[in-house]
């Protein structure tokens, strides 16, 4: 999957168009900011349409595989706005320029609301997910509805970005497992997420690091060690 943002859309689109890979081999994800749509001037529906058209224009591709609301938490107290934005997103699915829809930073209230009003269901969410910090209710809900979960902050980088100590890489259990499996803590965590049915979002600016991190597929934690990691959630 390739994730685009407002600041990188043009470069991502160019890379996709010039790639040696066929378009069908690239899963293109883009996001819109609900906060900008809700607080901008004019009619909310038209602001939402203009925002999505802007995504497509920046990328300059025939379609976006997955379009997500990035700051879903901003709509927790404004579910009517979520309804308006979601229905506009559905318009683009019907016309074929967007293939599926999703939520980032999803919570039970927003997931259940969209489920109640949608004609195009939630296909995927993107949420914080690591052994000590994830929403168990959201996780179970998505698994029961076959909603794809993409996890960020798996190695604790999200906590660090918030100015907090890293609760993951400071864990004695995770460092012990890395030593036992003769691998890195990162690969232990990515494999844990994958076995939980979550797609790990791997952040890196270096191709070499991406190749190394993708080796999590060669690690396989046994059930006992999975249970130990699952016991870390508070």
């Amino acid at each position: 999957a390739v994730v685009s943002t407002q600041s990188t859309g043009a470069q991502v689109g160019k890379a996709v168009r010039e790639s040696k890979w066929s378009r069908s081999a690239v899963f293109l994800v883009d996001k819109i900011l609900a906060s900008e749509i809700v607080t901008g001037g004019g009619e909310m529906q038209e602001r939402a349409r203009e925002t999505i058209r802007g995504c497509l224009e920046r990328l300059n591709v025939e379609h976006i595989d997955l379009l997500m609301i990035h700051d879903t938490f901003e709509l927790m107290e404004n579910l009517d706005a979520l309804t308006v934005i979601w229905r506009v997103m559905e318009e683009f699915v019907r016309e074929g320029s967007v293939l599926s829809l999703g939520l980032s930073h999803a919570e039970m209230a927003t997931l259940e609301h969209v489920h109640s009003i949608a004609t195009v269901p939630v296909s995927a969410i993107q949420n914080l997910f690591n052994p000590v910090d994830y929403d168990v209710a959201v996780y179970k809900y998505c698994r029961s509805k076959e909603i794809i979960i993409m996890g960020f902050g798996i190695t604790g980088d999200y906590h660090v970005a918030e100015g907090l100590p890293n609760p993951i890489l400071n864990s004695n259990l995770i460092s012990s497992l890395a030593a036992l499996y003769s691998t890195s803590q990162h690969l232990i965590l990515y494999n844990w997420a994958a076995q939980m049915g979550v797609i790990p979002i791997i952040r890196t600016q270096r191709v070499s690091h991406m190749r190394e991190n993708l080796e999590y597929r060669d690690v396989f934690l046994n059930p006992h060690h999975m249970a130990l990691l699952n016991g870390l959630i508070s």
Side-chain angles (χ1 to χ4, degrees), residues 6 31-39 51 68-78 82 85 102-107 110 126-127:
Q6 287 187 2
K31 297 181 180 181
I32 58 174
L33 283 170
S35 54
E36 293 183 357
I37 295 171
V38 171
T39 59
T51 299
M68 310 187 82
I69 300 175
H70 176 63
D71 49 350
T72 308
F73 56 87
E74 295 282 357
L75 301 174
M76 281 287 291
E77 305 300 324
N78 193 352
L82 176 56
I85 295 170
L103 301 170
S104 185
H105 300 273
E107 299 190 35
T110 48
Q126 189 176 109
N127 271 31

Side-chain angles (χ1 to χ4, degrees), residues 64-97:
I64 296 168
D65 294 285
L66 173 64
L67 181 66
M68 310 187 82
I69 300 175
H70 176 63
D71 49 350
T72 308
F73 56 87
E74 295 282 357
L75 301 174
M76 281 287 291
E77 305 300 324
N78 193 352
L79 295 178
D80 288 342
L82 176 56
T83 298
V84 171
I85 295 170
W86 192 265
R87 286 179 173 160
V88 170
M89 293 165 71
E90 291 177 330
E91 293 175 10
F92 287 83
V93 174
R94 287 192 289 271
E95 75 175 29
S97 55

Side-chain angles (χ1 to χ4, degrees), residues 72 76 103-113 122 124-129 133-152 196-198 233:
T72 308
M76 281 287 291
L103 301 170
S104 185
H105 300 273
E107 299 190 35
M108 282 303 303
T110 48
L111 279 167
E112 289 177 337
H113 179 74
V122 177
I125 69 164
Q126 189 176 109
N127 271 31
L128 178 67
F129 194 83
D133 193 0
Y134 69 94
D135 191 319
V136 176
V138 166
Y139 170 76
K140 291 180 177 179
Y141 178 88
C142 289
R143 296 288 286 170
S144 70
K145 300 289 185 184
E146 297 185 342
I147 297 171
I148 294 168
I149 305 170
M150 296 183 285
F152 64 82
M196 291 288 285
V198 173
I233 188 71

